[in-house]
Amino acid sequence: ASDTSPEIFYLARALTPQTAETDAIRFLVGTQSLKYDNQVTMFDKCIHNNVISKNVLLHQVGEIWHMSTSPADKGVLATCYNKPSDSKVLTCAAVWRMPQELEPGGHESPDDSTSPTHTLELLCHLDDTSHGSTACVTWEPTGDGKKVISLADSHILLWDLQESSSQAVLASSASLEGKGQLKFTSGRWSPHHTGTQVATANDTTIRGWDTRSMSQIYCIENAHGQLVRDLDFNPNKQYYLASCGDDCKVKFWDTRNVTEPVKTLEQHSHWVWNVRYNHSHDQLVLTGSSDSRVILSNMVSISSEPFGHLVDDDDLSDQEERRPEGKSQEPPQDSVIATYEEHEDSVYAVDWSSADPWLFASLSYDGRLVINRVPRALKYHILL
């Protein structure tokens, strides 16, 4: 069962769950319009039915290219947005606060065109533009919302947010070195290693960094045949990292031995923009692509439970077929659980709900947000 949001009639490529919100099912979408004021649209899905309501927050400074939310404060988010300057366009980054009155339950109905718009409050800029254009901002996942990393051209910048996030102080930084125009495309902060590791992608290379010294700890050259688009860490296995790119592939790496990927998927027929591990059940992996499809995969062989949950015969109901005596249980096989084809345009973003581990959202460039659920049979199989 899937739910499609009321159309927002904006182009969009930025999507994030509200990370610190663990009760309401809430996703934020950032728009890209050259004609109208851009906005962050907050979508809430009712837990009891399929009604999706929305609130609009004006983001008047420019087109939104990337968005991320504080892990500690529900009201705080960061955006990367375009700002024309002199002869070129720079992508800047800023931290914002949402209005206090946007509490769950106070939402307008989706078909109410007169729903009031609110404006985001600027807390601080992260864009000392001497470093160039910002590709993304990533928060320390288990932190207090005071540390963020931004990737600007060839620079990785660690910021301390002070004075209730109204001031960003550059704590340390490092730069890519080498020939040509080196530019970061994406990065993720690992939830492991007490928050000291970050992975970044530039061109076809993936690098790991130690945030204490801002030094490189591993490097996967030619990780993909073309540009690496996105990265994500396995929430339960500290050395496992997923990547995807313009070679249509999704790869899984053990960062202790980066000579070869542990596993490679070739299920998409165009660029893969996004890869996301489920926060609770790391065998569930979500990908979105310019082929307009969202694919949910069961990567059980490289998950934290590669043999699934072992179930005693006594626990099986009479309806379930019992295994013949003497046959050992085969480990479950990796497989595609489902392919979702509700989008008609490139799927630029996919992500899991922070409130419901079985719910995920996907966003295509035409502004369509679709919320889907992990198939019930698989959910119960995992929970057994």
Side-chain angles (χ1 to χ4, degrees):
S2 68
D3 308 308
T4 304
S5 70
E7 295 296 330
I8 46 182
F9 302 115
Y10 276 95
L11 299 180
R13 62 167 75 217
L15 166 73
T16 180
Q18 191 177 19
T19 312
E21 175 56 76
T22 52
D23 296 325
I25 297 163
R26 180 174 297 156
F27 291 96
L28 307 176
V29 170
T31 65
Q32 295 200 313
S33 172
L34 294 170
K35 284 200 284 191
Y36 308 106
D37 277 341
N38 281 284
Q39 59 191 46
V40 172
T41 310
M42 178 193 287
F43 290 99
D44 275 65
K45 182 183 181 302
C46 179
I47 293 167
H48 307 294
N49 58 37
N50 285 339
V51 174
I52 295 176
S53 54
K54 69 173 185 174
N55 270 295
V56 172
L57 306 166
L58 291 180
H59 180 276
Q60 290 160 322
V61 287
E63 295 175 276
I64 302 170
W65 285 84
H66 184 268
M67 245 182 351
S68 55
T69 53
S70 165
D73 186 332
K74 293 179 194 179
V76 174
L77 73 152
T79 63
C80 302
Y81 59 91
N82 273 4
K83 183 171 103 178
S85 86
D86 299 337
S87 58
K88 58 179 182 177
V89 174
L90 278 175
T91 307
C92 303
V95 179
W96 309 85
R97 179 170 288 288
M98 295 185 260
Q100 298 283 342
E101 62 265 28
L102 296 185
E103 292 304 318
H107 294 356
E108 308 300 319
S109 64
D111 53 356
D112 181 2
S113 57
T114 61
S115 63
T117 51
H118 307 269
T119 302
L120 290 167
E121 175 197 349
L122 176 67
L123 292 177
C124 63
H125 289 284
L126 294 176
D127 60 345
D128 174 0
T129 44
S130 59
H131 291 110
S133 282
T134 306
C136 77
V137 173
T138 179
W139 300 75
E140 183 182 20
T142 51
D144 54 6
K146 299 284 194 290
K147 279 192 166 66
V148 295
I149 276 179
S150 65
L151 302 176
D153 283 356
S154 63
H155 306 281
I156 175 169
L157 309 166
L158 173 62
W159 303 88
D160 279 329
L161 299 181
Q162 301 174 356
E163 308 293 331
S164 304
S165 302
S166 64
Q167 190 179 2
V169 177
L170 187 58
S172 56
S173 63
S175 299
L176 292 172
E177 289 168 13
K179 293 181 184 142
Q181 276 202 313
L182 299 172
K183 280 189 180 184
F184 286 113
T185 49
S186 69
R188 293 290 272 185
W189 202 317
S190 170
H192 310 293
H193 312 290
T194 60
T196 59
Q197 290 192 17
V198 170
T200 61
N202 68 286
D203 199 28
T204 60
T205 303
I206 297 168
R207 298 168 203 270
W209 304 82
D210 186 321
T211 57
R212 295 164 297 189
S213 58
M214 281 307 212
S215 56
Q216 203 170 284
I217 42 182
Y218 55 84
C219 180
I220 312 173
E221 290 189 1
N222 301 312
H224 286 262
Q226 296 176 50
L227 189 70
V228 181
R229 289 281 174 190
D230 196 26
L231 306 165
D232 199 23
F233 284 97
N234 184 313
N236 300 325
K237 294 182 78 171
Q238 61 179 339
Y239 297 106
Y240 273 61
L241 174 70
S243 64
C244 62
D246 285 2
D247 57 1
C248 313
K249 294 176 184 175
V250 178
K251 297 188 181 186
F252 298 88
W253 306 90
D254 181 334
T255 59
R256 294 165 298 186
N257 176 16
V258 296
T259 49
E260 289 290 327
V262 180
K263 205 92 176 172
T264 300
L265 299 181
E266 301 185 43
Q267 297 153 349
H268 285 287
S269 58
H270 210 280
W271 304 340
V272 188
W273 284 87
N274 236 190
V275 58
R276 286 289 177 269
Y277 277 105
N278 184 288
H279 311 306
S280 306
H281 310 286
D282 57 282
Q283 66 264 51
L284 301 178
V285 176
L286 205 53
T287 53
S289 162
S290 292
D291 63 11
S292 307
R293 295 185 302 161
V294 174
I295 296 180
L296 176 62
S297 298
N298 190 7
M299 300 306 297
V300 67
S301 72
I302 53 172
S303 74
S304 54
E305 293 186 334
F307 294 97
H309 289 285
L310 297 177
V311 183
D312 287 334
D313 268 357
D314 296 341
D315 296 341
L316 294 173
S317 66
D318 294 336
Q319 286 83 15
E320 291 186 77
E321 197 177 324
R322 301 188 175 208
R323 225 169 263 103
E325 291 299 319
K327 281 205 175 180
S328 63
Q329 182 175 359
E330 289 289 312
Q333 298 295 304
D334 295 344
S335 61
V336 170
I337 297 161
T339 300
Y340 300 90
E341 303 198 352
E342 292 122 315
H343 292 285
E344 296 167 10
D345 206 338
S346 291
V347 178
Y348 281 139
V350 292
D351 221 326
W352 294 93
S353 162
S354 51
D356 181 338
W358 308 107
L359 242 137
F360 58 91
S362 52
L363 175 70
S364 48
Y365 190 48
D366 54 11
R368 175 178 291 184
L369 178 79
V370 179
I371 297 175
N372 270 301
R373 210 170 253 294
V374 172
R376 186 162 290 173
L378 181 79
K379 171 178 167 178
Y380 291 135
H381 179 75
I382 290 172
L383 287 178
L384 263 177

